[in-house]
Amino acid sequence: MSYQTHTVSRSIFLIMLLLSAAVFADDKPKFGNVPDGEWAIGVPQDYADANAVVVFNNGHLTVTTDNITIEMHVRIKVLTTAGIDEVGDRSVWYNKKYDKLKGFKAHTITPDGKKHKVEKEAIFEKTSGNVVDMTFSFPTVSPGCIVEYCYRVVSERFRYLRPWYFQTDLYTLHSEFAVSLPNGFTYNIQDFNIPANCKEPVVTEQADITKNLSSGARIRTFTWTLENLPPVTEEPYMSAENDYRSALRFQLATYEDPYSHIVFQKTWSELGKLEQEWFDEYCNKRKDITKLADSVTAGLVDPRAKSRKLTAFVQTGYTTSDEYLHGFFHHEKIETLLAERMGTGEGKNLLLVELHKAAGLSAWPVLISRRDHGRLVAGNPDLQQFDYMIAVVQFDDGWEFLDASNRLNPYGLLPPDCLCGAGLLVDGEQSELVRITQKSVMSSRTDKSLLRVAADGNVSCSTSSCFTGYYAAMYTRRHDRQAEKDF
């Protein structure tokens, strides 16, 4: 074959690829292009209480050897006046250390076809450590209108990909999650609350035009789709709403080519070792902690007596802050926590661990996922599953799980939202999942009201409340975060 013929053939092949890509792209909804059928959408027959519906919630994860991009496109139809509040503000979060937010667009389209852009003044950002939570409000929202937004996040993180939730807080007509993988990548996936007939993805293939054509490199796209999904909303005594939603947890497993072999998923012990290194670096004043432990436990011999004294010391001697600036902590180093006598609940609990160790007791930090954060998936080692840290102390006759974040929390009782089943005990290479135990104690609330009737007929009343057990553990957190009068 002559060079000219080869060049022409290659050009034709490239054009065919581009055309097929264009056809594939045309299948995707265009931002701002609303077909007549979507304007005609009304209240779903199987959910008459719907005040707004998600027309579609589409996500596409594209993996390359350089980065990972998640593209999001969401369109919502407002049906009633009540739906205006239900649509409310929407938010996007990302980690500014590893992620870049690009191509953000949002607007309201009124029934007359006019488009009202979300301006910069309606976008607000809240930063906690490296995590940025961007919230935005739609303008000119009224019954019958459509609100829409799209964006993409380009990430350098190949581990710990966020789960995809098909269900939202609104009735969802169509939810789709697609993943495009080039040759060399393998993945693991776990599904939750998904019907059996929807668990297998639709798989398509196309040539990888970023590679040499003669290599036969392909890109496979896996697409999962669910339709007509009722919302999941908060109900009394339920744990995290996300635990009840249809979801996929997609994680890259390995990448291999002729020159490299990469394993993306670490074990719990490997993750615990990394966390231990961070904690060791954070705790930079061990001599000061030892002096403090000796001072607090002076004259005490019994290990449990020492533990009680240290716990009460951290509970009452250090103010709890809800402001996170360095991961779990408010400060970059523990020396500032000691100096300011203030820290996050996690920071105080790590200090509690270090004080126990300095006093000769066996203690470790335990990472947990509180009830409102989500159920721990033991088969998916991922530190993003955790949102809090408690302490555990080992004695000859047993152990105690401790939380020193609140002043009045009873010793050995965790607040109810920390009774989560299991957590990661951080102990270097010996880190492992442990069961969070619950004590059988009397938990009650007793209210006593005293009425006084004066001679002139006026009545005064006072009420006292006594909380015991887990009621005390629950209410003390509320007490510490409110003014006395408000509580």
Side-chain angles (χ1 to χ4, degrees), residues 30-39 75 107 109 146 148:
K30 296 290 189 301
F31 184 79
N33 184 12
V34 181
D36 292 340
E38 292 182 4
W39 284 115
R75 186 175 290 167
H107 60 199
I109 309 177
I146 285 177
E148 181 180 30

Side-chain angles (χ1 to χ4, degrees), residues 30-293:
K30 296 290 189 301
F31 184 79
N33 184 12
V34 181
D36 292 340
E38 292 182 4
W39 284 115
I41 289 174
V43 177
Q45 291 183 353
D46 59 340
Y47 198 78
D49 294 333
N51 295 305
V53 296
V54 176
V55 179
F56 59 77
N57 176 32
N58 295 344
H60 193 146
L61 189 73
T62 302
V63 179
T64 70
T65 53
D66 295 323
N67 53 45
I68 292 178
T69 301
I70 176 71
E71 298 176 79
M72 291 289 300
H73 189 182
V74 181
R75 186 175 290 167
I76 303 172
K77 175 77 178 293
V78 180
L79 303 176
T80 67
T81 301
I84 299 173
D85 293 330
E86 291 186 10
V87 169
D89 296 338
R90 298 280 137 175
S91 63
V92 175
W93 68 269
Y94 61 96
N95 188 312
K96 65 181 180 181
K97 183 177 180 180
Y98 304 103
D99 307 333
K100 292 183 179 179
L101 179 67
K102 296 186 176 183
F104 174 78
K105 295 186 291 185
H107 60 199
T108 301
I109 309 177
T110 48
D112 58 7
K114 293 183 179 179
K115 299 174 181 177
H116 307 268
K117 179 182 176 182
V118 172
E119 301 293 348
K120 291 183 178 180
E121 297 76 23
I123 301 174
F124 306 92
E125 290 188 354
K126 180 181 178 181
T127 302
S128 177
N130 289 319
V131 177
V132 179
D133 187 2
M134 186 184 79
T135 303
F136 52 96
S137 303
F138 293 100
T140 325
V141 181
S142 60
C145 74
I146 285 177
V147 298
E148 181 180 30
Y149 61 96
C150 68
Y151 63 90
R152 66 184 187 277
V153 174
V154 181
S155 178
E156 298 175 0
R157 292 185 294 175
F158 286 77
R159 299 179 173 92
Y160 319 140
L161 305 180
R162 68 184 71 178
W164 176 263
Y165 295 101
F166 292 96
Q167 285 174 292
T168 69
D169 57 340
L170 301 173
Y171 187 95
T172 302
L173 296 174
H174 180 92
S175 185
E176 178 180 298
F177 179 61
V179 180
S180 293
L181 286 178
N183 288 2
F185 286 96
T186 63
Y187 70 89
N188 294 322
I189 197 161
Q190 294 171 309
D191 60 81
F192 305 90
N193 307 315
I194 293 180
N197 63 330
C198 298
K199 291 186 178 183
E200 293 300 319
V202 174
V203 183
T204 58
E205 268 193 38
Q206 62 187 78
D208 187 349
I209 61 175
T210 65
K211 306 294 183 183
N212 190 309
L213 294 177
S214 61
S215 68
R218 309 289 289 174
I219 294 178
R220 291 183 300 165
T221 298
F222 306 83
T223 304
W224 292 265
T225 303
L226 270 69
E227 295 183 334
N228 301 321
L229 303 166
V232 175
T233 55
E234 185 176 1
E235 296 181 9
Y237 305 110
M238 75 183 294
S239 56
E241 293 176 22
N242 284 341
D243 288 346
Y244 301 88
R245 291 188 167 121
S246 300
L248 283 176
R249 190 177 290 273
F250 176 93
Q251 297 293 328
L252 291 172
T254 63
Y255 172 75
E256 188 170 7
D257 61 25
Y259 312 101
S260 59
H261 176 76
I262 301 172
V263 178
F264 294 109
Q265 286 194 301
K266 295 183 179 295
T267 64
W268 284 119
S269 60
E270 289 173 330
L271 293 175
K273 183 176 181 293
L274 293 174
E275 204 76 350
Q276 183 72 66
E277 292 171 357
W278 176 36
F279 292 164
D280 289 343
E281 184 180 348
Y282 175 77
C283 298
N284 65 329
K285 289 292 182 179
R286 297 191 185 278
K287 289 184 179 180
D288 291 351
I289 292 173
T290 299
K291 291 179 181 179
L292 195 58

Side-chain angles (χ1 to χ4, degrees), residues 370-384:
R370 288 176 290 190
R371 288 175 58 82
D372 60 354
H373 181 257
R375 181 173 52 241
L376 173 65
V377 181
N380 183 46
D382 178 358
L383 292 177
Q384 288 188 125

Side-chain angles (χ1 to χ4, degrees), residues 357-370:
K357 290 162 67 175
L361 304 176
S362 298
W364 302 269
V366 179
L367 305 181
I368 65 171
S369 176
R370 288 176 290 190

